[in-house]
Amino acid sequence: MLINTRNNGMDLVDLRTLLPYQQMLGANGEYIIQPQTFYQQDKEALVTAGYPYNWDYNLVQESRNKNNRATDRSLTAVAGLTYRLFKGLVFNSSYQYENYNSGTEILQNEETYFTRNTVNYSTSVRNGVMTTAIPKGSIFSTAESKLQSHTFRNQLRYDGILGNPLHELSAIGGLEIRQVTSQSSNMTKYGYDPNTLQYANLNYANGYTNVLGNQAFIRDATVFTDVKNRFVSVFPTQDIRSMTNIP
């Protein structure tokens, strides 16, 4: 099964940022500035002073520039064998394979407030010199997860009548072996150019001074995981019932 989705547009979380009766577009379709992060006058003063990006926020503009994509793939296959060894004794063997892959891509281009705010927030002026820790360009994030499992199950079942006096015997015994492998990866690239697929190499180890004059670090979202688990189970059970009362 393959599912491709695009999570773009507005959602309830976005709409909660709106003030009552607040307009988003003007009479000619222009974006109306909405409050976000800092006072608008302070942001405009910083942009006039040379900060990298326009710092205006508008929800419609955000919605039009979203570019999020998610992909899900899943596959399940089952095979089985049943063999009667002799009267009352049956052998069952089965195998199940599962494979699941999911991935998301989030491209925040230079028109999104997220990117403009991130870059501007990482900018500071010291001794008359303006420094920006995160370069201009899009911010691109990806996440991928994979899960693969193999399950083997062998089982013997006996149903018969034994003994004197007679007893009805039902017994099941088996072995199941299962292996599950899961892998995941996440990364975020700054200063990303979707046309050339180039991005900036940043210094994640050393901090920088942000717009508030505080020390901060660039978040390195690069994570790789690879986990393999194996399970073994044995399941014996039996049931004996007397048949002396059966005519």
Side-chain angles (χ1 to χ4, degrees), residues 223-240:
V223 177
F224 295 94
T225 64
D226 191 341
V227 179
K228 182 175 292 186
N229 293 308
R230 295 187 176 95
F231 308 90
V232 178
S233 60
V234 179
F235 49 95
T237 182
Q238 65 179 18
D239 179 38
I240 301 177

Side-chain angles (χ1 to χ4, degrees), residues 175-186:
L175 172 70
E176 181 175 286
I177 301 174
R178 179 176 172 85
Q179 176 178 290
V180 181
T181 302
S182 58
Q183 300 172 317
S184 64
S185 62
N186 300 272

Side-chain angles (χ1 to χ4, degrees), residues 64-81:
R64 289 174 176 173
N65 284 280
K66 280 186 177 181
N67 189 0
N68 305 333
R69 183 173 62 181
T71 302
D72 293 282
R73 299 183 182 90
S74 61
L75 171 67
T76 301
V78 178
L81 170 68

Side-chain angles (χ1 to χ4, degrees), residues 43-73:
K43 293 193 293 184
E44 291 175 353
L46 292 172
V47 173
T48 301
Y51 270 55
Y53 282 121
N54 175 289
W55 220 331
D56 297 342
Y57 172 78
N58 180 274
L59 183 55
V60 175
Q61 183 181 14
E62 284 297 287
S63 174
R64 289 174 176 173
N65 284 280
K66 280 186 177 181
N67 189 0
N68 305 333
R69 183 173 62 181
T71 302
D72 293 282
R73 299 183 182 90

Side-chain angles (χ1 to χ4, degrees), residues 99-102 144-148 181-185 227:
N99 189 297
Y100 175 76
N101 293 271
S102 67
E144 184 177 6
S145 62
K146 300 178 181 179
L147 186 143
Q148 187 180 81
T181 302
S182 58
Q183 300 172 317
S184 64
S185 62
V227 179

Side-chain angles (χ1 to χ4, degrees), residues 10-228:
M10 302 180 193
D11 55 32
L12 291 177
V13 176
D14 296 325
L15 295 176
R16 288 176 60 184
T17 64
L18 291 174
L19 297 176
Y21 309 107
Q22 184 177 28
Q23 289 184 310
M24 292 183 285
L25 296 176
N28 298 318
E30 70 276 12
Y31 298 131
I32 295 178
I33 298 173
Q34 300 168 241
Q36 192 80 357
T37 311
F38 301 125
Y39 288 115
Q40 185 63 29
Q41 295 85 347
D42 294 338
K43 293 193 293 184
E44 291 175 353
L46 292 172
V47 173
T48 301
Y51 270 55
Y53 282 121
N54 175 289
W55 220 331
D56 297 342
Y57 172 78
N58 180 274
L59 183 55
V60 175
Q61 183 181 14
E62 284 297 287
S63 174
R64 289 174 176 173
N65 284 280
K66 280 186 177 181
N67 189 0
N68 305 333
R69 183 173 62 181
T71 302
D72 293 282
R73 299 183 182 90
S74 61
L75 171 67
T76 301
V78 178
L81 170 68
T82 300
Y83 184 73
R84 184 180 299 274
L85 298 174
F86 53 83
K87 183 179 179 180
L89 184 62
V90 178
F91 172 73
N92 296 102
S93 182
S94 63
Y95 167 74
Q96 178 173 288
Y97 172 78
E98 293 178 290
N99 189 297
Y100 175 76
N101 293 271
S102 67
T104 59
E105 294 183 355
I106 301 176
L107 177 62
Q108 305 274 8
N109 65 39
E110 294 181 86
E111 295 299 318
T112 63
Y113 184 81
F114 177 85
T115 294
R116 293 182 285 114
N117 180 66
T118 300
V119 174
N120 284 354
Y121 208 96
S122 73
T123 302
S124 63
V125 178
R126 186 173 182 179
N127 298 326
V129 178
M130 182 173 293
T131 304
T132 301
I134 299 177
K136 296 179 70 174
S138 300
I139 299 177
F140 182 58
S141 300
T142 65
E144 184 177 6
S145 62
K146 300 178 181 179
L147 186 143
Q148 187 180 81
S149 71
H150 303 270
T151 304
F152 297 90
R153 180 187 177 101
N154 291 322
Q155 174 182 294
L156 280 172
R157 179 184 179 97
Y158 178 78
D159 294 290
I161 299 174
L162 301 172
N164 187 15
L166 298 178
H167 289 78
E168 184 179 17
L169 171 64
S170 294
I172 297 176
L175 172 70
E176 181 175 286
I177 301 174
R178 179 176 172 85
Q179 176 178 290
V180 181
T181 302
S182 58
Q183 300 172 317
S184 64
S185 62
N186 300 272
M187 63 182 67
T188 297
K189 299 302 179 183
Y190 300 91
Y192 179 76
D193 186 338
N195 295 318
T196 63
L197 306 182
Q198 301 296 308
Y199 56 87
N201 292 315
L202 304 181
N203 186 344
Y204 297 101
N206 298 325
Y208 66 91
T209 302
N210 63 25
V211 65
L212 299 177
N214 300 325
Q215 284 294 110
F217 290 85
I218 301 173
R219 177 175 174 266
D220 183 5
T222 303
V223 177
F224 295 94
T225 64
D226 191 341
V227 179
K228 182 175 292 186

